[in-house]
Coordinates of all heavy atoms in Angstrom, one line a residue:
K2 N 10.9 33.4 -14.6 CA 10.4 32.2 -15.2 C 11.4 31.0 -15.1 O 10.9 29.9 -14.8 CB 10.1 32.6 -16.7 CG 9.5 31.3 -17.5 CD 9.2 31.8 -18.8 CE 8.8 30.6 -19.7 NZ 8.5 30.9 -21.1
Q3 N 12.7 31.3 -15.3 CA 13.6 30.3 -15.1 C 13.7 29.7 -13.7 O 13.9 28.5 -13.5 CB 15.0 30.8 -15.6 CG 16.1 29.7 -15.8 CD 15.7 28.6 -16.8 OE1 15.0 28.9 -17.8 NE2 16.0 27.4 -16.5
I6 N 10.8 27.3 -13.4 CA 11.1 26.1 -14.1 C 12.0 25.2 -13.3 O 11.9 24.0 -13.2 CB 11.5 26.4 -15.5 CG1 10.3 26.9 -16.3 CG2 12.0 25.1 -16.2 CD1 10.7 27.5 -17.7
K68 N 26.1 19.9 -16.7 CA 25.1 19.4 -15.7 C 25.4 18.0 -15.4 O 25.1 17.5 -14.3 CB 23.7 19.6 -16.1 CG 23.2 21.1 -16.0 CD 21.8 21.3 -16.3 CE 21.6 22.7 -16.2 NZ 20.2 23.1 -16.2
M113 N 7.9 17.0 -16.0 CA 8.5 16.5 -17.3 C 8.9 17.7 -18.2 O 10.0 17.7 -18.7 CB 7.5 15.7 -18.0 CG 7.3 14.3 -17.3 SD 5.8 13.4 -18.0 CE 6.3 13.2 -19.7
Y114 N 8.0 18.7 -18.3 CA 8.4 19.9 -19.1 C 9.6 20.5 -18.4 O 10.5 21.0 -19.2 CB 7.2 20.8 -19.2 CG 7.5 22.1 -19.8 CD1 7.5 22.2 -21.2 CD2 7.7 23.3 -19.0 CE1 7.8 23.5 -21.8 CE2 7.9 24.5 -19.6 CZ 8.1 24.5 -21.0 OH 8.3 25.8 -21.4
A115 N 9.6 20.7 -17.2 CA 10.7 21.5 -16.5 C 12.0 20.7 -16.6 O 13.1 21.4 -16.8 CB 10.3 21.7 -15.0
R116 N 11.9 19.4 -16.5 CA 13.2 18.6 -16.6 C 13.8 18.7 -18.0 O 15.0 18.7 -18.2 CB 12.9 17.1 -16.3 CG 12.4 16.9 -14.9 CD 13.4 17.0 -13.8 NE 14.3 16.0 -13.8 CZ 15.3 15.9 -13.0 NH1 15.6 16.8 -12.1 NH2 16.2 15.0 -13.1
I117 N 13.0 18.8 -19.1 CA 13.4 19.0 -20.4 C 14.0 20.4 -20.5 O 15.1 20.6 -21.1 CB 12.3 18.7 -21.5 CG1 12.0 17.3 -21.4 CG2 12.8 19.1 -22.9 CD1 10.6 17.0 -22.2
R118 N 13.3 21.4 -20.1 CA 13.8 22.8 -20.2 C 14.9 23.1 -19.4 O 15.8 24.0 -19.9 CB 12.6 23.8 -19.7 CG 11.4 24.0 -20.6 CD 11.8 24.6 -21.9 NE 12.5 25.9 -21.6 CZ 12.0 27.1 -21.8 NH1 10.8 27.3 -22.2 NH2 12.7 28.1 -21.6
T119 N 15.3 22.4 -18.3 CA 16.5 22.6 -17.6 C 17.6 21.7 -18.1 O 18.7 21.7 -17.5 CB 16.3 22.4 -16.1 OG1 15.8 21.1 -15.9 CG2 15.3 23.4 -15.5
C120 N 17.4 21.1 -19.2 CA 18.4 20.2 -19.9 C 18.9 19.1 -19.1 O 20.1 18.6 -19.1 CB 19.6 21.0 -20.3 SG 19.2 22.3 -21.6
M121 N 18.0 18.6 -18.2 CA 18.3 17.4 -17.4 C 18.0 16.1 -18.2 O 18.5 15.1 -17.9 CB 17.5 17.3 -16.1 CG 17.8 18.6 -15.2 SD 19.5 18.6 -14.7 CE 19.6 17.3 -13.6
H122 N 17.0 16.2 -19.1 CA 16.6 15.1 -19.9 C 16.3 15.5 -21.3 O 16.0 16.7 -21.6 CB 15.4 14.5 -19.3 CG 15.5 13.7 -18.0 ND1 16.0 12.5 -18.1 CD2 15.3 14.1 -16.8 CE1 16.1 12.1 -16.8 NE2 15.7 13.1 -15.9

Side-chain angles (χ1 to χ4, degrees):
K2 182 180 176 182
Q3 191 58 34
I6 290 173
K68 289 190 179 187
M113 289 166 59
Y114 172 77
R116 301 284 294 173
I117 294 167
R118 285 294 306 254
T119 56
C120 296
M121 297 300 289
H122 287 281

